[in-house]
C-alpha cells in the first residue's frame, strides 16, 4: 500500500480518537494506532485505546513521551503561571508533541500521515497546498488550538471528525462496541484533573506561593490572595473579595505579588501583541483585515492584523474582554480558514 494510505492514528483512549480510527479504516486506509504516554495516571486510557485498536484489527504502540511532555509542556506551563501569564497547555502539546514528535514518529513507523480525533478540517486550497479550517460543528471546533501545526505538515494531517457532531461520533462508537462510547469529555487540563492549578504547581516545584494584597483600581487594599499565580485575568469566582457588585481579576503584578480587581468594564482592551507566530499561509507583506479569537470559546472578532517579524499586532474593531497574556491569538479569514496564530504577550487598553 502506498505510504500516504498508511496512517498513524493518535489514540488517547477517548471516544473521538477511537471513532477517527474506525472512519479511516472504512475509507480504506491502513492504520497504526499510537498512544502517547505523557504522565502518570493513564493506564485506563491506554487500555481503552488498545481495546479500540484490537477491535479494528490494527497494531497499537505506546510511545513514551513523558520526559518531553514534562520539558516542553508542564515546565513551560508552570513557568508561564509564575510570570503572571495564563498559558494554554493544549497549544504547547500540539506544537511540541502531537504535531512535532508524533508526526516524526509517523515517518519512522512507515506512515505517510498522522490522524487525530480533533474537530477541525484540512482542505485543499486548489493550488496544490492545504489549509486548516474550522470544523463543521462550531460548538466542537478545535482549530484554535491547532494553529501550531507546521504549514509544511498540513498535507500530512487528517482530521476524520471534522464534518461530524459529537452525537454522531458517540453513535458510531456505540455501534462498534468501543469501551469509550459513553466516556465523558475531559473538562480540565489532563495533568491537573482536579483543576487546582496552584496546588499542582506547589507540588511540582516544591514551592509555597505567598499570600499577597488584592487591590482595587485606585490601589486600595481590599483583600488577600493565597498566591497570585493561581488567579487569571477575568476570573470572578474564588477571588476572595466581597463586594456590592461583581468584580473581576483585571491584572497581576508578580514582582509586587499583588492582584488588581475591578468591574467588568476594566477588562476590555483595544489590541494585543502575539509572538512565536506560526503562519499557515504565505506570510503577508503588510497589514490586513481579518477575524481573530483570543480565547478558545470566543466568537471570531474583526481585527486589523499588523505583522512585524515573528510578532503580530492585533487592533480590535471593538474592545475585547479579558485578553490575557499566555493565551493564543488566532487569526481567521471570513471563510473559516486559520491564517496563523501566536502567544499573547502584551495587551493594549
Amino acid at each position: 500500500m502506498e505510504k500516504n494510505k498508511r496512517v498513524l492514528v493518535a489514540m488517547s483512549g477517548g471516544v473521538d480518537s477511537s471513532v477517527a480510527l474506525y472512519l479511516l479504516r472504512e475509507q480504506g486506509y491502513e492504520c497504526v494506532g499510537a498512544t502517547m504516554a505523557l504522565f502518570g495516571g493513564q493506564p485506563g486510557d491506554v487500555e481503552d485505546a488498545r481495546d479500540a485498536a484490537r477491535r479494528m484489527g490494527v497494531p497499537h504502540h505506546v510511545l513514551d513521551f513523558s520526559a518531553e511532555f514534562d520539558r516542553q509542556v508542564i515546565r513551560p506551563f508552570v513557568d508561564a503561571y509564575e510570570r503572571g501569564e495564563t498559558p494554554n497547555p493544549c497549544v504547547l502539546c500540539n506544537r511540541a508533541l502531537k504535531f512535532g514528535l508524533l508526526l516524526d514518529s509517523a515517518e519512522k513507523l512507515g506512515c505517510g500521515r498522522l490522524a487525530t480525533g480533533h474537530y477541525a478540517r484540512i482542505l485543499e486550497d486548489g493550488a496544490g497546498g492545504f489549509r486548516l479550517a474550522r470544523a463543521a460543528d462550531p460548538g466542537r471546533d478545535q482549530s484554535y488550538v491547532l494553529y501550531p501545526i507546521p504549514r509544511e505538515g498540513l498535507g500530512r494531517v487528517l482530521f476524520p471528525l471534522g464534518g461530524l457532531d459529537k452525537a454522531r461520533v458517540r453513535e458510531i462508537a456505540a455501534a462498534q462496541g468501543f469501551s469509550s462510547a459513553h466516556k465523558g469529555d475531559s473538562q480540565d487540563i489532563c495533568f491537573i484533573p482536579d483543576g487546582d492549578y496552584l496546588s499542582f504547581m506547589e507540588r511540582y516545584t516544591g514551592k509555597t506561593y505567598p499570600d499577597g494584597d488584592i487591590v482595587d483600581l485606585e490601589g486600595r487594599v481590599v483583600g488577600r490572595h493565597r498566591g497570585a499565580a493561581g488567579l487569571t485575568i477575568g476570573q470572578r469566582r474564588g477571588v476572595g473579595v466581597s463586594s456590592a457588585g461583581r468584580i473581576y481579576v483585571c491584572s497581576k503584578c508578580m514582582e509586587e505579588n499583588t492582584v488588581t480587581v475591578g468591574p467588568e468594564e476594566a477588562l476590555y482592551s483595544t489590541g494585543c501583541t502575539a509572538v512565536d507566530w506560526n503562519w499557515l499561509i504565505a506570510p503577508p507583506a503588510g497589514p490586513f483585515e481579518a477575524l481573530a479569537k483570543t480565547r478558545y470559546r470566543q466568537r471570531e472578532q474583526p481585527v486589523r492584523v499588523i505583522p512585524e517579524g515573528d510578532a503580530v499586532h492585533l487592533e480590535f474593531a471593538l474592545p475585547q474582554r479579558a485578553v490575557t497574556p499566555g493565551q493564543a491569538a488566532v487569526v481567521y479569514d471570513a471563510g473559516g480558514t486559520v491564517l496563523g496564530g501566536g502567544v499573547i504577550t502584551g495587551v493594549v487598553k
Side-chain angles (χ1 to χ4, degrees), residues 272-296:
C272 69
T273 297
V275 300
D276 296 329
W277 194 269
N278 182 49
W279 288 111
L280 291 176
I281 58 170
F288 62 97
E289 307 298 319
L291 301 171
K293 293 174 68 168
T294 56
R295 299 190 307 278
Y296 182 69

Side-chain angles (χ1 to χ4, degrees), residues 32-209:
V32 178
T35 300
M36 298 186 296
L38 303 177
F39 58 95
Q42 289 181 280
D45 294 333
V46 172
E47 288 307 311
D48 286 341
R50 186 175 286 127
D51 173 69
R54 179 184 57 78
R55 287 178 179 274
M56 291 294 100
V58 305
H60 177 262
H61 302 270
V62 177
L63 305 177
D64 184 4
F65 291 163
S66 55
E68 286 301 304
F69 187 71
D70 181 79
R71 185 175 72 85
Q72 299 201 61
V73 179
I74 298 180
R75 171 50 65 184
F77 171 88
V78 171
D79 289 347
Y81 261 102
E82 290 187 335
R83 292 193 301 269
E85 300 171 2
T86 305
N88 189 318
C90 293
V91 168
L92 298 172
C93 186
N94 285 338
R95 175 187 290 126
L97 274 70
K98 288 192 181 75
F99 302 101
L101 290 177
L102 197 57
L103 198 55
D104 292 342
S105 296
E107 187 72 24
K108 293 173 184 175
L109 290 169
C111 299
R113 296 185 176 184
L114 170 68
T116 75
H118 286 103
Y119 288 82
R121 292 178 293 168
I122 300 288
L123 306 175
E124 294 191 43
D125 65 7
F130 297 86
R131 55 193 174 95
L132 172 66
R134 289 191 306 245
D137 180 356
R140 285 287 169 180
D141 174 55
Q142 293 174 300
S143 60
Y144 172 81
V145 296
L146 295 170
Y147 81 83
I149 299 174
R151 182 184 173 200
E152 64 275 10
L154 288 175
R156 296 177 55 205
V157 175
L158 296 171
F159 296 131
L161 307 188
L164 303 178
D165 60 28
K166 190 66 175 234
R168 178 59 183 146
V169 168
R170 290 200 183 278
E171 286 176 5
I172 294 170
Q176 296 306 310
F178 292 148
S179 56
S180 60
H182 303 292
K183 199 173 186 177
D185 293 336
S186 57
Q187 297 297 323
D188 220 307
I189 295 171
C190 63
F191 55 90
I192 315 178
D194 64 359
D196 188 344
Y197 299 0
L198 196 65
S199 294
F200 169 81
M201 290 167 59
E202 290 180 336
R203 291 193 303 271
Y204 183 81
T205 63
K207 300 176 183 177
T208 298
Y209 295 98

Side-chain angles (χ1 to χ4, degrees), residues 82-84 228 252-258:
E82 290 187 335
R83 292 193 301 269
K252 302 189 292 184
C253 178
M254 305 308 287
E255 292 78 12
E256 298 179 6
N257 194 31
T258 58

